[in-house]
Amino acid sequence: MLPRLATLVENEDPRGLEALDVLYPLTGKAHVVGVTGPPGAGKSSLVAALLDRIRASGRRAAVLAVDPTSTISGGAVLGDRIRMMEQHADEGVFVRSMASRGRQGGLAWATAGLVHLLDAAGYPLVLVETVGTGQDGTDIASLADTVVVVEAPGLGDGIQAIKSGLLEVGDIVVVNKADQPGADDARRLLRAAFDLAHPTDSRETPILPAVAITGSGVAELLTAIDDHVSWLTESGQLTVRRERAARSEVLAGIRMALDRRLEAGSSHMPELASLISRVARRELSPREAVETLTVMLGPSVNS
Ligand SMILES: Nc1nc2c(ncn2[C@@H]2O[C@H](COP(=O)(O)OP(=O)(O)OP(=O)(O)O)[C@@H](O)[C@H]2O)c(=O)[nH]1
Ligand SMILES: [Mg+2]
């Protein structure tokens, strides 16, 4: 039933959404791990290697790959890999991919919905792969309990990675493709940058080498992931993160609902159409039109 239900949730079929409402109280038990990083860093390879490791130790896990075919690094190849994983999935593993294409905003919302479903289905570990550049709105950082940022040597210099802001959200950083030149330098540079930026943090962000295609370093990564959830629990950070996740999901939902209503525009909101026409005729400034429409949301932060 899970694949069918996932499709209903993904398509925002009312039956899927109702099921989510019913299932939601059962969620919150899974450890949600976001795996993000620049295109081609080896996220899918690393997730596949992690799955092998997880299965070998008799644990169960679900994987959600967001947009596996959208990137510059050979989307078709990657799509194949995900499909392969889907086929090989046994009862202890559930692999699902989701495209952001054609989705009118609401990617974070849809991702969260599927994660809740996998959580409710009883998978103790849910891995979510997203492409992260530091500027996109997939919000994996607010959704996940643990964020693994995957970097690789040769994907632009380390300074760029630091400036992108992506590293900031990482609870664990992996320098993948450690079999390639420059990996040690990349790791040293990242270590120095982290220590400079966070000299007094109670927890040091692990920066781990890995070779996803051979599985080297993957056991250490899984240990680091498990250690992080222990740290979250003991430090009370888990509660803080869950609160933040709930907040960002609700706000994302509100934004999406507003966006859609506005997109539906003239047919559902004759006032909007007439305001837009008045702006076009220069009878009303754009700001005045916005003000008129947002009055219903309460006083603006500026006033
Ligand atoms: N040499 C080497 N190649 C690797 C390693 N890990 C992955 N690759 C290769 O790097 C390419 C990209 O790997 P993927 O796992 O698809 O990377 P990704 O980050 O998921 O890519 P996108 O989903 O497109 O952003 C593939 O050709 C992999 O075989 C590694 O540790 N060493
Ligand atoms: Mg991938």
Side-chain angles (χ1 to χ4, degrees):
M1 272 190 65
L2 189 55
R4 278 168 53 204
L5 204 44
T7 303
L8 293 177
V9 168
E10 195 182 336
N11 296 340
E12 296 188 49
D13 184 293
R15 288 168 294 174
L17 300 180
E18 260 172 54
L20 269 190
D21 292 342
V22 174
L23 292 172
Y24 190 71
L26 302 175
T27 65
K29 298 186 182 77
H31 178 195
V32 182
V33 179
V35 179
T36 190
K43 300 177 294 297
S44 297
S45 309
L46 206 55
V47 165
L50 272 171
L51 267 188
D52 285 345
R53 191 87 217 167
I54 291 162
R55 288 161 86 178
S57 58
R59 296 163 69 181
R60 300 163 66 239
V63 175
L64 175 61
V66 179
D67 229 2
T69 58
S70 75
T71 66
I72 53 173
S73 69
V77 176
L78 207 44
D80 285 351
R81 178 166 321 174
I82 297 291
R83 268 191 293 280
M84 215 167 65
M85 278 164 68
E86 278 172 349
Q87 273 160 20
H88 286 140
D90 58 33
E91 283 198 346
V93 178
F94 183 83
V95 180
R96 176 88 189 185
S97 52
M98 181 178 77
S100 69
R101 216 169 339 127
R103 207 168 274 288
Q104 319 243 298
L107 179 60
W109 180 259
T111 306
L114 282 173
V115 168
H116 294 324
L117 186 62
L118 300 170
D119 184 346
Y123 289 98
L125 199 54
V126 177
L127 307 172
V128 186
E129 178 192 340
T130 59
V131 176
T133 55
Q135 278 115 63
D136 60 350
T138 46
D139 291 332
I140 189 59
S142 53
L143 178 72
D145 300 317
T146 302
V147 178
V148 177
V149 174
V150 184
E151 294 285 344
L155 288 177
D157 59 34
I159 306 290
Q160 219 176 330
I162 293 157
K163 274 159 77 181
S164 75
L166 184 62
L167 289 169
E168 283 297 307
V169 303
D171 299 300
I172 298 166
V173 175
V174 175
V175 177
N176 188 42
K177 307 195 184 183
D179 55 326
Q180 293 192 345
D184 285 342
D185 287 346
R187 214 149 50 84
R188 267 192 297 272
L189 181 66
L190 292 176
R191 175 80 280 149
F194 263 92
D195 292 347
L196 263 177
H198 307 278
T200 59
D201 278 10
S202 60
R203 177 184 171 273
E204 181 174 81
T205 304
I207 298 176
L208 308 171
V211 183
I213 49 174
T214 66
S216 163
V218 174
E220 291 79 2
L221 172 57
L222 189 56
T223 302
I225 289 171
D226 290 338
D227 286 350
H228 185 246
V229 81
S230 306
W231 177 82
L232 284 174
T233 311
E234 284 154 21
S235 66
Q237 276 296 311
L238 190 61
T239 316
V240 174
R241 290 204 179 196
R242 294 284 167 96
E243 183 85 25
R244 193 177 70 189
R247 178 188 152 83
S248 99
E249 188 176 351
V250 169
L251 292 184
I254 292 171
R255 258 179 233 118
M256 186 181 68
L258 278 176
D259 265 358
R260 286 185 183 171
R261 259 186 239 183
L262 292 172
E263 281 302 323
S266 46
S267 53
H268 294 98
M269 297 179 72
E271 318 89 321
L272 175 60
S274 99
L275 282 170
I276 289 170
S277 299
R278 290 179 62 199
V279 171
R281 290 197 301 269
R282 268 58 189 174
E283 295 169 12
L284 204 65
S285 79
R287 196 201 61 80
E288 287 166 329
V290 171
E291 188 75 26
T292 307
L293 278 169
T294 50
V295 160
M296 62 180 185
L297 295 177
S300 94
V301 285
N302 299 322
S303 58

